Amino acid sequence: MSGEFLKIRAGKMRGYLNPDYDSDDVREFLKNPDRALVRGAELLKDSPTTTAAFVKVGVGGTEKEFHLKRANNKGFLYSLESLAKKSRPLRTYKNIMRLMAADIPTPTPVAAVEERRFGILKRSFLITERITGGANFYYWLKANFRNLPELDRIATTKGFAAFVRKIHLAGITHGDLKCSNVIILPEERPFRFFITDLDATRFSKNGWPLEAAVTEIARLSLSAYDTVDAEDRERFLKSYFDDACDADGWGEKNRFRRMAAIVMKKHLARQRRKKKYPEEYFTYFETGAGKCPSD
């Protein structure tokens, strides 16, 4: 990117635009991104909170593929809350820029725009580049991981541990870290990973945010419970914890793991109280497979 962003106005929309995409075609598209959702878009998600799709947009005579994400309005209270803060897409755009500055791979932002009336948020959108050849990490794991050669399984596990460790050692916590919020390039060696859904990301000025990072590891581990075997998960935890301790100068690895186990146990208890997941979700982590490695 040649610069962080341009502040723009396109019709009723205001927001940020990547200078590399500053063109009449893109500005016209940003006046009403909803049109792209009804013209042959590849719908990825349509929930009360978010609508996401791959869309094609003409840019300078060529067709570009973008990932378009609309933050859906959740009602009157949501609109009132928006008076005091920027929309999720605009916050996410700024977070993406900070991650890119820290050399954390994430899809390149194209634009983030919002429409307001008398200060009340009506619509908001985040547009990023589509990562060619990328796959949702959770669905890729579920479909492919157990069939990989052993060396590729090890490489995937250790490579992903290094990716997550790099994020945390930069003083960054994602806020909703799970396998479905990661993109993998499965045809590349070594495997490459990209982090997505960054509206809840937090940045610490004091380096590695220990408890928040371990809570994220707990959430991440739970999100993969039906995609990998116990030995793969243990390899991931051992690689993350040992290498993170080494990189941070933390000599008491066993003490660190005990702290991590306590945090993960608390996270499990919170999730169980919500009654959102089947019981086998928790059994996996209470029969040995889910415990932090102790040596």
Side-chain angles (χ1 to χ4, degrees), residues 179-190:
C179 291
S180 59
N181 284 337
V182 175
I183 295 172
I184 184 175
L185 289 180
E187 299 303 318
E188 295 198 12
R189 297 295 186 276

Side-chain angles (χ1 to χ4, degrees), residues 158-213:
K158 290 191 172 183
F160 187 52
F163 174 70
V164 176
R165 183 173 67 247
K166 181 177 181 179
I167 294 172
H168 288 160
L169 288 179
I172 300 168
T173 46
H174 180 273
D176 188 24
L177 186 59
K178 51 192 177 185
C179 291
S180 59
N181 284 337
V182 175
I183 295 172
I184 184 175
L185 289 180
E187 299 303 318
E188 295 198 12
R189 297 295 186 276
F191 294 110
R192 292 177 60 198
F193 301 94
F194 297 79
I195 193 73
T196 67
D197 282 7
L198 300 166
D199 56 291
T201 301
R202 296 290 180 266
F203 301 85
S204 170
K205 296 180 180 179
N206 301 316
W208 190 13
L210 177 60
E211 184 163 342

Side-chain angles (χ1 to χ4, degrees), residues 4-289:
E4 286 195 357
F5 59 84
L6 299 171
K7 290 186 177 181
I8 64 161
R9 181 168 186 167
K12 296 180 180 180
M13 296 289 182
R14 295 186 180 186
Y16 310 136
L17 174 63
N18 180 340
D20 294 341
Y21 281 99
D22 188 13
S23 68
D24 291 340
D25 291 332
V26 171
R27 286 177 178 257
E28 183 64 28
F29 161 68
L30 293 176
K31 290 179 180 179
N32 187 12
D34 270 324
R35 286 181 298 186
L37 291 174
V38 296
R39 291 192 312 205
E42 182 183 339
L43 190 65
L44 303 172
K45 181 179 181 180
D46 191 12
S47 73
T49 60
T50 303
T51 299
F54 290 131
V55 300
K56 295 180 179 180
V57 180
V59 180
T62 62
E63 200 169 55
K64 298 283 188 180
E65 282 196 286
F66 295 147
H67 181 272
L68 173 63
K69 184 175 182 180
R70 182 181 67 201
N72 295 329
N73 192 310
K74 293 181 284 186
F76 181 69
L77 289 178
Y78 176 85
S79 296
L80 285 181
E81 290 173 358
S82 71
L83 287 168
K85 58 185 179 182
K86 293 185 183 298
S87 63
R88 284 163 49 203
L90 266 63
R91 296 198 307 271
T92 300
Y93 193 107
K94 289 289 193 70
N95 289 343
I96 290 174
M97 298 310 306
R98 294 184 69 174
L99 262 74
M100 293 179 73
D103 196 31
I104 306 297
T106 184
T108 300
V110 175
V113 291
E114 62 180 23
E115 177 188 351
R116 292 179 181 266
R117 186 176 182 185
F118 304 116
I120 296 176
L121 183 66
K122 307 299 289 185
R123 297 185 296 165
S124 56
F125 302 85
L126 175 71
I127 302 96
T128 58
E129 292 181 358
R130 180 175 185 174
I131 297 177
T132 303
N136 180 289
F137 190 39
Y138 171 78
Y139 292 109
W140 181 85
L141 283 174
K142 197 164 187 177
N144 301 287
F145 186 75
R146 290 188 172 101
N147 297 322
L148 290 176
E150 180 67 15
L151 289 179
D152 278 351
R153 288 176 63 158
I154 293 173
T156 305
T157 304
K158 290 191 172 183
F160 187 52
F163 174 70
V164 176
R165 183 173 67 247
K166 181 177 181 179
I167 294 172
H168 288 160
L169 288 179
I172 300 168
T173 46
H174 180 273
D176 188 24
L177 186 59
K178 51 192 177 185
C179 291
S180 59
N181 284 337
V182 175
I183 295 172
I184 184 175
L185 289 180
E187 299 303 318
E188 295 198 12
R189 297 295 186 276
F191 294 110
R192 292 177 60 198
F193 301 94
F194 297 79
I195 193 73
T196 67
D197 282 7
L198 300 166
D199 56 291
T201 301
R202 296 290 180 266
F203 301 85
S204 170
K205 296 180 180 179
N206 301 316
W208 190 13
L210 177 60
E211 184 163 342
V214 173
T215 299
E216 290 215 316
I217 290 297
R219 183 188 297 113
L220 179 64
S221 298
L222 290 169
S223 76
Y225 86 104
D226 60 346
T227 66
V228 300
D229 295 331
E231 62 180 341
D232 301 303
R233 184 178 176 282
E234 289 171 3
R235 184 182 293 120
F236 169 83
L237 291 172
K238 187 172 178 58
S239 179
Y240 174 90
F241 289 138
D242 284 359
D243 292 345
C245 286
D246 291 341
D248 202 50
W250 192 302
E252 301 178 73
K253 294 181 182 178
N254 287 335
R255 179 169 172 263
F256 175 87
R257 291 199 197 93
R258 286 196 295 272
M259 292 175 63
I262 291 171
V263 173
M264 293 177 80
K265 186 176 181 180
K266 289 180 179 178
H267 182 77
L268 275 171
R270 285 196 299 269
Q271 295 299 324
R272 179 172 257 146
R273 286 196 296 270
K274 292 180 180 179
K275 298 182 179 180
K276 183 179 178 181
Y277 301 100
E279 186 59 28
E280 60 263 26
Y281 188 101
F282 305 99
T283 303
Y284 174 81
F285 292 91
E286 295 173 341
T287 57

